[in-house]
Structure formats: C-alpha cells, structure tokens
C-alpha cells in the first residue's frame, strides 16, 4: 500500500493530513485486516478471529501514545512524511512510496 492510497481512503476532509479520528480509523481497520488470516494463510474460525481481535484491540491510551509518537510536530494531525516514517519504523521497510 502506498501513502497516497492511505490518504485517498482515510483523509475524509481532504486536508492533506490525518486527524486523530481519521488516523484511528486507519489503525483499527489495519489491525482488523490482519486478523482475517492466520500466518499460514488459512482462514480462522469465528472464535479464533474474535479472540485475536480482542488481543489486538487498541485501547484509547495506546492509540493516543502511538499518535503522539508519530505526530512529530505536535500539531494534532499526521502528515504524509510522519506516516511514512512510522510505516518504515514498524514494518522495517526501507522503500515505501
């Protein structure tokens, strides 16, 4: 996924930034998307999926800590550059566009 596709999907007000709510929706939907398959690519049972979602659920404090860490300039929103640095950090990817 490239940064532009994240912005196309989550920057609802077309401000060029992700505010807290937009960023939270991105994070929560990303976590849910990861819960759909097991590491071997096999579908999880409903019970396995619910357990995994519960384990991975991001509470408000965790989200705020993450948001604050990513929001380098403390302006209350995430820029494309800030998101790029965050994705590189958590995914260990050097080349991301």
């Amino acid at each position: 996924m490239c940064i532009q596709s994240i912005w196309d999907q989550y920057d609802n007000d077309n401000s060029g930034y992700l505010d807290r709510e937009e960023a939270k929706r991105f994070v929560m939907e990303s976590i849910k998307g990861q819960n759909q398959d097991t590491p071997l690519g096999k579908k999880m049972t409903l019970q396995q999926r619910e357990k995994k979602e519960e384990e991975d659920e991001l509470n408000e404090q965790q989200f705020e800590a993450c948001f604050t860490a990513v929001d380098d300039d403390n302006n209350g929103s995430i820029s494309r550059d800030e998101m790029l640095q965050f994705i590189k950090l958590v995914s260990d990817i050097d080349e991301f566009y």
Side-chain angles (χ1 to χ4, degrees):
M1 175 182 288
C2 72
I3 296 295
Q4 184 60 46
S5 65
I6 294 170
W7 255 249
D8 289 345
Q9 187 170 354
Y10 295 99
D11 182 18
N12 295 330
D13 60 3
N14 295 313
S15 66
Y17 296 88
L18 296 187
D19 62 30
R20 273 186 166 74
E21 289 306 311
E22 292 166 338
K24 188 171 189 176
R25 190 168 63 90
F26 165 69
V27 169
M28 297 305 290
E29 288 180 10
S30 295
I31 289 171
K32 285 182 181 180
Q34 291 173 359
N35 288 338
Q36 298 304 312
D37 294 318
T38 65
L40 299 176
K42 296 180 181 177
K43 292 289 183 189
M44 291 183 184
T45 65
L46 179 58
Q47 185 178 20
Q48 289 171 321
R49 189 175 309 127
E50 287 173 350
K51 182 180 180 198
K52 180 111 174 89
E53 286 176 0
E54 189 174 293
E55 291 170 356
D56 291 341
E57 193 170 290
L58 199 63
N59 70 37
E60 194 66 30
Q61 281 182 316
Q62 291 168 320
F63 173 76
E64 286 301 322
C66 180
F67 187 90
T68 300
V70 173
D71 184 16
D72 289 334
D73 60 6
N74 298 311
N75 69 351
S77 60
I78 305 299
S79 70
R80 292 171 195 245
D81 287 338
E82 289 167 334
M83 179 63 76
L84 180 61
Q85 294 308 313
F86 175 70
I87 290 172
K88 286 180 179 180
L89 178 69
V90 298
S91 65
D92 198 30
I93 296 175
D94 289 330
E95 292 184 27
F96 200 85
Y97 54 96

